[in-house]
C-alpha cells in the first residue's frame, strides 16, 4: 500500500509546484480531502495529519483561494470541489498567466533590441546561408569529385587531416563521362592557379595513395602532360581542412561520426569568414616548404600533385 501511495503523493507535490504554490503540508491536506471529500470537524485534520490548527487553517485558506475547496462556517465544514474540473480551471489559468508573461517579456526583448539598434544606428545585414553538398550519392558527379580543383581562376587548398576516400572510384568513373565534360574540367585545371598546403602526416598518406593509384595515370590522358600551375608545400604545423576558391568562397569538408570518412562539404561565402581563413592560409603557406619528389615523368609528377589537391 505504501508503494502505491508514494507516486500518488509525489504527483500532488509536482502539481502544486507546477502552479508555484509552496505551502508546507498542503499536499497532505489535499491528499486527505481526496479520500474524505467532506470534513465537518477541523480537529480531524489536526489529529490525523499531526499538523497544528494554525497551519491547517492557513492551508485551507490557500486551497479555498485556489478554488479547490469550499468552506462553510458555524460550525466550520470543508468540502472538496470536483478535483477534475477545479484543477483543469486552475491549470488553464496558470497557463494563461505564463503565456501573458512570456509574451510581455518577448515583446520587451524585441523592443530593447530595436532601441539599441536605433541608438547605435546599426543596420541589419542579410545572413549568408551555408550550403551542404553530399558526396554520398549512388551516381558520381565528376565536378563534385574534383570540387577542390574547380574554380574560376584559383584555389587555395589546405589538407591538414587525412580522411578515407575511394579515389579509385573517381578514376574508374572518369571513363564513363563524355569527352566534352572531361575537356572542360581539364581546361579549368590546366589554366587555373593552385596553392596546396598539406601537413607532414597528410603528405605521407599522399605517398601511399600515389603508389596504390599509379595504374590510373593513363586514365587522365593529356591532362597530366600539361604544365600545371601547382604550388605544393608541406608543414609540420597542425591545421584543419578547408578550400578557398577565388578568394570569395570557403569550402569545409564534413566527415562521418568516426571523423575518417568524407561524406560531403559545407559551402559559405561571408566576406569576414573568408578573410579569416585566407589570412590563416597565407600565414601557414609562407613558412611551409616546397614538396620535392623525383618522379620519372611529368605525368607522374602531375598525378602526385592532383592527388595532394583532391
Amino acid at each position: 500500500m505504501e508503494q502505491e501511495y508514494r507516486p500518488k503523493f509525489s504527483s500532488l507535490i509536482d502539481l502544486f509546484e507546477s502552479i508555484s504554490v509552496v505551502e508546507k503540508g498542503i499536499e497532505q491536506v489535499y491528499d486527505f480531502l481526496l479520500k474524505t471529500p467532506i470534513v465537518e470537524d477541523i480537529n480531524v485534520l489536526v489529529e490525523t495529519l499531526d499538523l497544528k490548527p494554525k497551519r491547517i487553517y492557513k492551508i485551507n485558506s490557500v486551497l479555498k483561494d485556489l478554488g479547490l475547496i469550499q468552506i462553510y462556517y458555524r460550525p466550520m465544514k470543508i468540502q472538496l470541489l470536483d478535483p477534475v474540473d477545479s484543477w483543469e480551471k486552475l491549470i488553464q489559468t496558470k497557463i494563461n498567466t505564463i503565456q501573458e508573461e512570456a509574451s510581455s517579456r518577448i515583446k520587451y526583448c524585441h523592443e530593447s533590441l530595436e532601441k539599441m539598434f536605433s541608438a547605435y544606428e546599426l543596420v541589419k545585414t542579410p545572413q549568408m546561408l551555408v550550403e551542404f553538398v553530399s558526396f554520398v550519392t549512388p551516381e558520381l558527379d565528376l565536378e563534385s569529385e574534383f570540387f577542390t580543383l574547380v574554380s574560376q581562376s584559383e584555389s587555395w587548398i589546405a589538407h591538414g587531416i587525412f580522411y578515407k576516400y575511394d579515389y579509385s572510384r573517381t578514376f574508374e568513373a572518369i571513363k564513363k563521362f563524355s569527352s566534352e565534360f572531361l575537356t572542360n574540367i581539364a581546361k579549368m585545371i590546366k589554366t587555373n592557379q593552385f596553392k596546396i598546403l598539406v601537413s607532414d602526416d597528410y603528405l605521407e598518406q599522399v605517398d601511399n595513395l600515389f603508389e596504390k593509384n599509379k595504374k590510373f595515370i593513363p586514365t587522365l590522358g593529356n591532362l597530366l602532360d600539361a604544365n600545371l600551375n601547382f604550388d605544393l608545400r608541406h608543414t609540420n604545423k597542425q591545421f584543419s581542412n578547408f578550400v578557398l576558391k577565388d578568394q570569395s568562397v570557403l569550402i569545409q569538408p564534413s566527415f562521418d561520426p568516426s571523423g575518417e570518412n568524407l561524406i560531403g562539404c559545407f559551402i559559405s561565402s561571408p566576406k569576414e569568414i573568408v578573410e579569416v581563413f585566407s589570412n590563416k592560409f597565407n600565414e601557414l603557406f609562407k613558412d611551409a616548404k616546397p614538396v620535392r619528389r623525383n618522379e620519372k615523368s611529368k605525368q607522374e609528377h602531375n598525378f602526385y600533385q592532383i592527388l595532394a589537391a583532391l
Side-chain angles (χ1 to χ4, degrees):
M1 289 295 292
E2 185 179 352
Q3 289 181 346
E4 180 183 352
Y5 176 71
R6 285 179 181 174
K8 289 182 178 180
F9 194 76
S10 177
S11 70
L12 288 180
I13 294 174
D14 292 340
L15 189 57
F16 280 105
E17 185 178 339
S18 73
I19 60 172
S20 305
V21 172
V22 180
E23 189 69 45
K24 183 179 178 181
I26 195 169
E27 296 87 359
Q28 292 173 267
V29 173
Y30 194 75
D31 172 70
F32 185 92
L33 292 173
L34 284 171
K35 301 169 186 174
T36 309
I38 298 176
V39 176
E40 297 185 348
D41 186 352
I42 197 75
N43 289 321
V44 173
L45 294 173
V46 174
E47 294 171 2
T48 305
L49 303 178
D50 194 24
L51 294 172
K52 294 181 179 180
K54 186 176 181 180
R55 172 112 307 262
I56 294 292
Y57 279 109
K58 178 66 186 301
I59 291 170
N60 284 315
S61 175
V62 172
L63 291 174
K64 181 177 181 295
D65 291 341
L66 291 173
L68 296 173
I69 64 172
Q70 281 185 333
I71 296 178
Y72 302 94
Y73 295 96
R74 298 177 185 166
M76 181 176 179
K77 183 171 76 172
I78 303 167
Q79 181 174 343
L80 179 73
L81 294 177
D82 180 6
V84 173
D85 182 59
S86 58
W87 270 109
E88 284 183 344
K89 290 178 180 178
L90 185 54
I91 289 296
Q92 188 58 54
T93 299
K94 183 64 177 179
I95 290 173
N96 293 341
T97 301
I98 292 173
Q99 290 176 335
E100 289 174 4
E101 291 175 352
S103 298
S104 178
R105 294 188 66 178
I106 290 171
K107 181 181 178 183
Y108 181 69
C109 287
H110 286 305
E111 289 176 348
S112 299
L113 181 63
E114 292 300 327
K115 285 179 182 178
M116 190 276 285
F117 284 169
S118 177
Y120 286 90
E121 299 181 350
L122 300 177
V123 178
K124 295 179 182 179
T125 56
Q127 296 295 313
M128 302 300 291
L129 297 177
V130 176
E131 178 186 1
F132 177 74
V133 176
S134 174
F135 295 158
V136 187
T137 55
E139 296 184 4
L140 184 141
D141 174 46
L142 192 59
E143 188 167 327
S144 294
E145 297 292 315
F146 283 86
F147 79 98
T148 57
L149 299 174
V150 176
S151 60
Q152 296 298 317
S153 61
E154 64 176 355
S155 290
W156 294 3
I157 303 162
H159 285 321
I161 303 170
F162 185 79
Y163 48 80
K164 294 178 182 178
Y165 196 67
D166 188 3
Y167 291 96
S168 61
R169 172 176 175 262
T170 302
F171 298 130
E172 288 285 2
I174 285 177
K175 302 173 184 178
K176 301 178 183 179
F177 287 86
S178 67
S179 58
E180 181 181 356
F181 188 75
L182 286 173
T183 299
N184 291 334
I185 292 288
K187 182 180 179 181
M188 191 177 297
I189 296 174
K190 287 178 183 180
T191 57
N192 291 355
Q193 296 181 336
F194 301 92
K195 291 182 179 180
I196 309 161
L197 178 68
V198 296
S199 65
D200 290 344
D201 291 339
Y202 196 94
L203 191 62
E204 291 182 12
Q205 298 296 336
V206 175
D207 290 335
N208 295 331
L209 284 174
F210 178 78
E211 294 302 325
K212 291 179 181 179
N213 294 283
K214 280 198 298 185
K215 61 183 178 181
F216 293 111
I217 289 178
T219 303
L220 296 180
N222 63 2
L223 171 62
L224 299 182
D225 290 322
N227 294 318
L228 302 181
N229 194 345
F230 279 56
D231 187 351
L232 174 59
R233 303 185 189 184
H234 69 101
T235 178
N236 59 5
K237 296 181 179 179
Q238 294 184 340
F239 55 94
S240 60
N241 295 25
F242 61 92
V243 178
L244 289 165
K245 291 188 178 185
D246 306 307
Q247 289 294 293
S248 60
V249 177
L250 171 68
I251 300 177
Q252 294 173 286
S254 174
F255 304 99
D256 68 5
S258 72
E260 295 182 347
N261 299 292
L262 182 68
I263 60 173
C265 66
F266 293 99
I267 303 174
S268 55
S269 56
K271 183 178 179 181
E272 297 81 2
I273 297 178
V274 171
E275 286 181 355
V276 170
F277 279 85
S278 177
N279 292 336
K280 180 179 180 180
F281 185 93
N282 281 323
E283 182 181 346
L284 291 167
F285 196 76
K286 68 179 181 181
D287 295 326
K289 299 178 181 179
V291 175
R292 305 295 186 191
R293 284 182 57 89
N294 295 315
E295 281 79 22
K296 296 179 181 179
S297 66
K298 177 187 286 188
Q299 283 194 341
E300 287 185 345
H301 177 68
N302 286 344
F303 186 64
Y304 184 89
Q305 293 185 107
I306 288 175
L307 279 175
L310 286 177

